């Protein structure tokens, strides 16, 4: 382990216990192993959560924050891609049970703050449930932050899976794993006809599977993705994550933000 490593799992148990304090922030990266079309690896969300959290934790530590990282959680709730070979998923109940176990284990250490850095949209709802469970059961301060993958304007707000943002980010992080030549545009234009029904943020939500839209499981337009756009997506996310960790370090719901 290098002197500057913030990887908790590289420490011995006694060293970990002596290192963490009541003010330590522990980051758990949360990925997924799921179908991302023919141009991206199934580990896309895991790689994004792992790499982005590592960069954020390193930068936050250099800025003086008492922040540490656990190994990533790879298998999570990807039931929307259950139909596709290459998806390895657990259910929402199993994810919640796993997070409960990790929270229970963290509560054995002096640390009291857990931050989930999430790479997979399908985890947002169960992670929200877990934040409250761990708050109530183990008196932890709990937070979550998802890797923000922007849509390109030509994706009509539908670049949510394997599209421009995610493909660009992967071309920056792991160009060796991206088969950009096999990327195709997959935008369900008909969804724009509905005023109220839509994806996150719309007043009417719907239960969907990733093969409901007539494509190969991708939702977005990866064809114009490029590594330099991915580099700025990464830079923006790391900056927001470091600022967020700083806010978390002084967050007091009863005392305001001073
Ligand atoms: Zn993804």
């Amino acid at each position: 382990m290098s002197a500057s490593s913030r990887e908790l799992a590289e420490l011995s148990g006694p060293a970990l216990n002596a290192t963490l304090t009541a003010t330590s922030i522990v980051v758990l990266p949360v990925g997924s192993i799921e179908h991302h079309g023919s141009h991206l690896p199934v580990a896309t969300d895991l790689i994004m959560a792992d790499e982005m959290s590592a960069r954020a934790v390193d930068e936050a530590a250099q800025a003086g924050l008492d922040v540490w990282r656990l190994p990533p959680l790879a298998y999570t709730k990807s039931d929307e891609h259950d139909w596709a070979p290459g998806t390895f998923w657990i259910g929402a109940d199993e994810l919640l049970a796993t997070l409960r176990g990790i929270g229970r284990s963290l509560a054995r250490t002096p640390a009291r703050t857990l931050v989930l850095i999430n790479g997979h949209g399908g985890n947002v709802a169960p992670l929200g449930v877990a934040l409250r469970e761990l708050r109530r059961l183990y008196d932890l301060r709990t937070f979550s932050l998802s890797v923000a993958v922007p849509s390109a304007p030509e994706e009509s707000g539908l670049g949510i899976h394997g599209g421009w943002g995610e493909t660009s980010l992967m071309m920056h992080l792991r160009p060796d794993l991206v088969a950009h030549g096999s990327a195709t545009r997959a935008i369900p234009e008909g969804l724009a006809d509905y005023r109220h029904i839509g994806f996150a943020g719309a007043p009417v939500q719907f239960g969907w599977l990733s093969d409901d839209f007539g494509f190969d499981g991708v939702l977005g337009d990866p064809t114009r993705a490029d590594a330099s756009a991915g580099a700025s997506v990464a830079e923006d996310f790391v900056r927001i994550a470091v600022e967020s960790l700083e806010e978390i370090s002084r967050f007091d719901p009863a005392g305001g933000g001073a």
Side-chain angles (χ1 to χ4, degrees), residues 100-117:
R100 217 183 271 129
I102 292 171
R104 184 178 60 224
S105 306
L106 184 64
R108 279 253 179 265
T109 79
R112 284 292 165 268
T113 302
L114 179 65
V115 179
L116 309 173
I117 294 191

Side-chain angles (χ1 to χ4, degrees), residues 32 34 36 44-45 48 119-120 160-162 166:
S32 76
E34 66 182 34
H36 269 81
T44 290
D45 295 346
M48 295 192 309
H120 171 45
I160 64 168
H161 186 68
E166 206 167 36

